[in-house]
Amino acid sequence: MATVMHETQRKTGYESLREFMAALEQRGLLSRVKVPVEKDWEVGAVCRENFDKFGPALLFEKVGNYKTPLLAGTLSTREQYALAMGVETSTEAIAAKWRQAYAKPIRRTVVSSAEAPCKEVVIDDPDLYADPFPVPKWHPKDGGPEIGTLHGVISMDPETGWINSGNYRCQIFNSKVSGCYVVDIPYRHIHQNWDKWKALGKNMPVAIVIGPDPYLSLTSVSAVPAQVDEYDVAGALKGSPMEVVKAELSDLLVPAHAEIIIEGEMPIDKFWPQEEGPFGEFLGFMGAGVKDSFYIDVKKVTHRRDPIFHGTLEGRPPSESTTVRSMGRSAAVLEHLRRAGIINIRDVSVTPAGCAGFHVVVSLKKSYHGHVRDTMCHVWGHPLLFCKQVIVVDEDIDPWNSYMVEWAIATRVQATRDIVMMTGGKSVGLDTSQVISRRGESDLIGIDATTPHEWYAKDGSKFPEPADPRPEDLAKVRARWKEYGIK
């Protein structure tokens, strides 16, 4: 994919997390929690209750004895998400912005350290237990404080210079060491980079970014293809180049306007001997602890003056994590299908209630024999996702509307004819539906919920006509809706 930037490109969007916070607060979408809160149970409990109520972003001003405030929930609702993207709240508008970002990424621009707020304070001897790190145990049974939840872990391909930003849980092991839940899964982009550093016999430079602008938070969890910089897709979402700056200790590029940058190295020949985890994961259950895990030796920290610590509560839907991953991954699957040559795709929903990964609904205009099966197989074949269930519906069904999808299944599906089941699919090791000895693999289900016109034709009949009003009549009614006085 070519990365382009128009000469007329002007600065748009939010330059920093702080600018986005101000926009949220102006619209009543951010609440300041001024009373003291305990970081190792109370922060997580407040976030859980707030997510269940689809509440605002939260700025905890007094976390324990820390001076640094903690921000969570900035992207937890569709309204907040759309505000970050600079579009209306409709699925169509959000999807169109993502399509544009993939089609026309905007190349990052490198600024000097003097121009980078993330370098305002430099700490040569960092302590991950001290300010500016009011890091919670987000869940009571977590193995330790998790410094990385809604963040970016920056690594680089030493052969091509490709910069990757991914989202991996980072538990604080001690004042100078952070975990990094990469696990031994070779298709993860950070693992691919680590393999190349290992071949060179050099530890891999890594930077943990806390509190970037909203666009890097969106792209870091969105399955951007390999060798495509998240910075450049983020720039397209923003509408102008992402400003980055060279790290203090390596050639990594980090977001210039981030709140906090943690720099270090990931060893290539050593693993953490004690257990990493457990951690309350996105499925809503405790993810098991891991031994011999990847980790980061922390060497230096830089941050803005009076920084803000940024994170989120992982857990069952609804949550900030499922909102962010659902929208971004839906765009990524749509891009994947189009690159594969699957035609006439209307929309894709990686459903939030399916933990933003396990369930995918695709709407399309069925155009040839095998079109639905082709679509299912390519969704399952996405290299970075772990979908177990694919539902394919006609173009008249909105894949984001669970009522419409369930209606299509109820009125267009016969189990023996339209349901495909396969064994041997991939999943994630956190998938609680699978017994521990088989974690990482999964059965797959495909449901063809498109209209069975061909089967009706074989029967010498036609599928019934829809009973809804004509589209042109609905358009007239919508145009007059205010006149009806219906509130």
Side-chain angles (χ1 to χ4, degrees), residues 91 95 99 326-327 329-335 337-338 345-351 359-364 375 379 385 391 398-400:
T91 299
R99 285 196 296 271
S326 173
M327 301 304 299
R329 288 178 176 180
S330 298
V333 172
L334 181 60
E335 179 73 6
L337 293 174
R338 286 178 170 159
I345 302 294
R346 175 181 176 266
D347 201 358
V348 173
S349 171
V350 180
T351 68
H359 295 170
V360 175
V361 184
V362 181
S363 67
L364 52 74
T375 301
V379 172
L385 294 185
I391 302 171
D398 178 0
W400 293 92

Side-chain angles (χ1 to χ4, degrees), residues 12-85:
T12 57
Y14 304 100
E15 197 71 73
S16 66
L17 178 64
R18 297 182 185 205
E19 286 189 7
F20 183 49
M21 280 179 58
L24 289 169
E25 191 161 27
Q26 184 180 22
R27 290 163 177 79
L29 300 176
L30 182 145
S31 290
R32 294 174 177 266
V33 179
K34 297 181 179 296
V35 298
V37 293
E38 206 286 321
K39 76 180 186 70
D40 286 343
W41 69 267
E42 195 169 6
V43 169
V46 171
C47 287
R48 180 68 270 166
E49 183 71 8
N50 189 55
F51 289 159
D52 285 343
K53 296 177 181 295
F54 297 95
L58 301 175
L59 182 68
F60 296 94
E61 295 186 346
K62 299 175 183 177
V63 181
N65 295 319
Y66 290 84
K67 294 182 294 182
T68 303
L70 186 156
L71 177 67
T74 56
L75 295 163
S76 58
T77 68
R78 181 180 286 262
E79 186 177 3
Q80 293 165 344
Y81 193 103
L83 179 64
M85 299 275 277

Side-chain angles (χ1 to χ4, degrees), residues 22 49 54 74 93 128 156 179 199 219 308 336 386 408 431 433 458:
E49 183 71 8
F54 297 95
T74 56
L128 297 180
M156 182 174 66
T219 56
I308 299 166
H336 171 72
F386 41 86
D431 183 1
S433 72
K458 290 177 182 179

Side-chain angles (χ1 to χ4, degrees), residues 207-263:
I208 302 174
V209 178
I210 305 295
D213 59 79
Y215 313 104
L216 190 66
S217 293
L218 295 176
T219 56
S220 293
V221 300
S222 297
V224 173
Q227 300 300 321
V228 176
D229 279 20
E230 275 81 6
Y231 287 141
D232 300 345
V233 179
L237 293 177
K238 175 187 173 189
S240 61
M242 291 282 292
E243 291 189 352
V244 296
V245 64
K246 184 180 176 297
E248 295 283 300
L249 302 177
S250 70
D251 291 330
L252 290 176
L253 298 174
V254 298
H257 297 270
E259 293 294 320
I260 303 167
I261 305 292
I262 303 169
E263 296 188 37

